[in-house]
Amino acid sequence: MPVDHSQQSSFHPENEWKRIKALQRYQILDTPPDGAFDRITALAAQLLNVPIAIVSLVDTDRIWFKSHHGLSVQEIDRDPGLCASAILEGIPYVLTDASIDPRSLSNPLVAGEMGFRFYAGIPLNTHDSYNLGVLCVIDLHPRTISDQELNILKTLSQIVMDEMELRLAVRSIDRLNKEKELLIQSLGEGIYGFDQNLNTTIWNQAAEKMTGFSSEEMLNRNSEIILHNPKIDGASYKKKEFPIYQSFKDGVVIEVAEDIFWRKDGTSFPVEYVSTPIVQEGQVTGAVVIFKNIEKKKQLNELWRRADKLKTVGQLAAGVAHEIRNPLTTLKGFLQILSKDSDNQDYFNIMKEELLRIESITSEFLVLSQPQAVQLEKKAVVPLLLRMKKLLKYEARLMEMSIELHFEEHMPSIYCDEQRLTQVFINVVKNAMEAMQKRGIVSIQCKTVDHKVLIRFIDHGCGIAADRLKHLGEPFYSTKEKGTGLGLMMSYKIVQEHNGEILIHSEVDNGTTVDIYLPAYSPVMDA
């Protein structure tokens, strides 16, 4: 049976502020009616045969009723309140006749018009031992309560706490899910997850941006839409050998340094990714893939590779210039003397041509090995192109070719080193003429595109295969039989020094287009 208490001097526990904080943790105050709590109070009233049953929560200055069977009041003042007294101890609080019990005889709920006589309350105790409120039953007539009835009330109070803990757990899970979703969506890497049927369960914003597929298009759809396509080398993946499938099948983490994924528009892009299996209760139920577009990374690696080659060429050029040019001059001199008395002039002419070619190559080496002072000035681009056209006029005529120049009116000026940029134009046009060999037109277009000057060179020559196109601009790589690749390499270097860009588009048997983009002149450039 419950233990009676003497009159309490205070209706506030010693740890009151911590108790209030625990109450607020459940976020239950002032929430709408809930059928689960209403069923508990109805059952308590029925089993104990009383007219009133309440789930009360003791707030700082009020007692709020989450459920109030048989009573229309939603809340009452905290002091003096029977429930406020009941939470002071962690044991049942029972008044068999409140009108004569010294703890309650002056209470307005007893002495007033409500006229409560019987009260039995079980504190609602949290897992960390705070009494938040009471599950109580009330009668308007004095009565006793049996041990069995008290145990029923205790069990029902535990069910009340179970319901409160359940709702707290649901809110916590919901909050964690929202935080997880926010984290997934905010990451720069693409993230997607799939279940055992390869149906997509996660698809974040970065994945949307990289692939063009929205989450609505991907969720609950088979993820093979972006996976089971050709490999980098063009061969098709078999499902069993696909790395992400292997990760799921074998339950292991797999990292792939380079592969390709496919966009909605049918284009592909290079990726690196990690596939991690999802394991629940010892069973692999899916996998999560974190992937990153490595296009820029590959471009940067290519720039470093080219820069390293350029450095090697520069170091080699310095030695070549000194070790070859001097003996080359001697050889040319003696060859000139010997050729005067020889009947084999054809052989001597071939030797002279080859020595001149060696001399030309060493001259290109010198340009690469020595830093060139760039003298940038404001220049009109069309006169530069006209000058280049005049310089190549005789050579074009010999090859039965013509150079056509088309340009917009009022072209902006550029900030450039006139001599070096003219050298670039000559290199590009000579390459175009050599690609056509004889009889053809090299078309040059000049226009403004997004605050840049675009100079486009078009030929209808033999074109360049895609696998060779990516190597253009590298030292010692040329599409010409006797080429060194140094001319185009120097052209790239000069254009980059002008903060410009060279883009080459070509197709075998359909010719080549070379686009040179240069910044349009701005007064800021003079600063």
Side-chain angles (χ1 to χ4, degrees):
M1 291 296 291
V3 178
D4 287 344
H5 302 278
S6 59
Q7 181 69 33
Q8 299 287 340
S9 58
S10 171
F11 290 99
H12 291 75
E14 293 180 1
N15 60 352
E16 178 62 4
W17 71 273
K18 291 183 180 180
R19 191 194 68 82
I20 291 295
K21 192 172 181 179
L23 175 61
Q24 293 170 347
R25 178 175 71 209
Y26 289 85
Q27 299 179 26
I28 192 171
L29 292 171
D30 299 312
T31 55
D34 189 314
F37 294 101
D38 290 342
R39 285 188 289 273
I40 292 171
T41 53
L43 184 59
Q46 180 182 355
L47 293 176
L48 274 73
N49 193 27
V50 294
I52 300 170
I54 299 172
V55 172
S56 68
L57 298 165
V58 181
D59 200 1
T60 53
D61 57 357
R62 62 174 177 159
I63 300 174
W64 182 78
F65 302 148
K66 176 60 183 173
S67 178
H68 42 97
H69 177 84
L71 190 67
S72 60
V73 178
Q74 183 68 60
E75 63 178 54
I76 61 173
D77 290 339
R78 174 168 174 167
D79 296 326
L82 299 177
C83 294
S85 300
I87 66 167
L88 295 177
E89 301 286 348
I91 56 177
Y93 187 85
V94 177
L95 302 172
T96 55
D97 187 349
S99 64
I100 60 173
D101 194 303
R103 295 172 293 170
S104 58
L105 56 85
S106 62
N107 191 296
L109 301 176
V110 177
E113 62 179 82
M114 287 190 175
F116 293 166
R117 291 294 178 266
F118 170 77
Y119 177 95
I122 305 295
L124 301 174
N125 189 255
T126 67
H127 62 86
D128 46 357
S129 302
Y130 293 108
N131 294 330
L132 305 183
V134 178
L135 170 63
C136 64
V137 290
I138 299 172
D139 202 340
L140 302 179
H141 305 285
R143 57 161 291 178
T144 58
I145 184 169
S146 67
D147 289 342
Q148 182 180 4
E149 290 174 323
L150 205 56
N151 287 331
I152 291 173
L153 203 57
K154 286 179 182 179
T155 300
L156 293 175
S157 72
Q158 291 167 357
I159 295 174
V160 170
M161 280 309 305
D162 289 344
E163 290 289 336
M164 290 176 62
E165 293 288 355
L166 176 62
R167 282 154 178 74
L168 178 60
V170 169
R171 281 194 297 273
S172 297
I173 292 171
D174 185 56
R175 175 178 56 80
L176 289 173
N177 284 337
K178 288 179 179 178
E179 289 176 356
K180 180 193 74 173
E181 183 66 19
L182 183 62
L183 178 63
I184 289 174
Q185 296 299 338
S186 65
L187 290 174
E189 289 85 3
I191 299 179
Y192 81 90
F194 58 89
D195 59 21
Q196 60 266 37
N197 297 316
L198 295 182
N199 291 327
T200 307
T201 55
I202 301 171
W203 192 258
N204 75 342
Q205 291 178 0
E208 288 184 342
K209 187 176 180 180
M210 280 188 259
T211 66
F213 290 103
S214 68
S215 59
E216 288 78 11
E217 292 174 303
M218 288 300 299
L219 291 178
N220 298 317
R221 289 188 61 191
N222 197 299
S223 55
E224 291 177 297
I225 193 170
I226 65 165
L227 304 180
H228 288 187
N229 276 285
K231 308 176 187 177
I232 295 174
D233 60 6
S236 297
Y237 269 123
K238 294 180 180 178
K239 185 174 181 180
K240 291 183 178 180
E241 67 181 20
F242 188 68
I244 292 176
Y245 179 79
Q246 287 292 326
S247 171
F248 164 71
K249 176 177 172 290
D250 299 336
V252 295
V253 176
I254 291 182
E255 297 184 23
V256 176
E258 185 175 352
D259 204 339
I260 55 173
F261 279 1
W262 293 82
R263 299 184 180 94
K264 185 178 180 179
D265 62 9
T267 59
S268 64
F269 60 99
V271 295
E272 62 181 15
Y273 62 83
V274 177
S275 180
T276 305
I278 300 172
V279 181
Q280 294 179 329
E281 297 180 355
Q283 297 293 320
V284 178
T285 59
V288 172
V289 180
I290 301 177
F291 64 94
K292 182 187 297 183
N293 188 327
I294 57 172
E295 282 178 313
K296 291 184 178 179
K297 179 181 178 181
K298 291 186 69 177
Q299 290 170 1
L300 184 61
N301 288 341
E302 180 64 17
L303 287 174
W304 277 109
R305 188 179 68 84
R306 290 195 176 194
D308 190 55
K309 275 195 173 184
L310 186 59
K311 179 181 177 182
T312 303
V313 169
Q315 292 170 345
L316 177 63
V320 167
H322 294 289
E323 300 298 330
I324 295 181
R325 283 177 70 89
N326 290 337
L328 195 62
T329 303
T330 304
L331 284 173
K332 285 173 63 181
F334 281 112
L335 190 64
Q336 188 73 24
I337 294 171
L338 292 171
S339 66
K340 290 180 180 179
D341 301 323
S342 174
D343 295 330
N344 297 312
Q345 288 298 316
D346 289 343
Y347 294 126
F348 278 104
N349 288 336
I350 292 172
M351 292 170 69
K352 288 176 184 177
E353 288 176 4
E354 291 302 309
L355 286 174
L356 286 173
R357 183 167 176 267
I358 294 172
E359 190 174 43
S360 173
I361 292 172
T362 56
S363 297
E364 289 178 338
F365 275 152
L366 278 174
V367 172
L368 289 172
S369 66
Q370 298 171 359
Q372 303 294 308
V374 181
Q375 303 294 329
L376 299 180
E377 298 177 323
K378 179 184 177 182
K379 294 289 181 180
V381 67
V382 174
L384 291 182
L385 292 168
L386 289 171
R387 180 185 173 210
M388 175 272 300
K389 181 180 177 182
K390 185 177 181 181
L391 291 172
L392 294 175
K393 181 179 179 181
Y394 178 71
E395 189 172 343
R397 186 180 298 171
L398 287 176
M399 299 178 70
E400 300 180 34
M401 294 187 184
S402 63
I403 301 172
E404 296 183 354
L405 176 59
H406 308 276
F407 53 88
E408 296 176 346
E409 292 187 18
H410 311 297
M411 285 294 300
S413 298
I414 57 175
Y415 207 56
C416 70
D417 183 317
E418 181 177 357
Q419 296 301 323
R420 302 196 75 200
L421 202 56
T422 301
Q423 179 185 349
V424 171
F425 297 157
I426 290 173
N427 283 343
V428 174
V429 173
K430 289 182 73 172
N431 285 341
M433 291 193 296
E434 290 173 8
M436 291 188 290
Q437 296 182 350
K438 264 196 173 185
R439 294 183 182 177
I441 298 172
V442 178
S443 176
I444 305 173
Q445 301 171 2
C446 190
K447 57 185 176 180
T448 306
V449 178
D450 296 330
H451 306 292
K452 294 181 180 180
V453 172
L454 167 61
I455 305 149
R456 175 169 288 166
F457 302 83
I458 303 172
D459 71 60
H460 300 285
C462 58
I464 306 168
D467 60 332
R468 305 186 72 180
L469 197 62
K470 62 184 178 181
H471 295 292
L472 294 182
E474 295 181 5
F476 311 118
Y477 188 88
S478 175
T479 59
K480 294 181 287 187
E481 183 179 349
K482 294 186 178 182
T484 63
L486 297 179
L488 189 55
M489 181 179 178
M490 285 190 296
S491 297
Y492 271 103
K493 185 171 181 286
I494 292 169
V495 171
Q496 286 172 358
E497 288 170 351
H498 285 73
N499 296 316
E501 182 181 23
I502 296 181
L503 300 176
I504 301 177
H505 312 275
S506 188
E507 189 176 338
V508 175
D509 297 329
N510 284 320
T512 300
T513 298
V514 178
D515 288 340
I516 298 178
Y517 289 89
L518 296 168
Y521 174 79
S522 168
V524 177
M525 294 179 175
D526 292 325

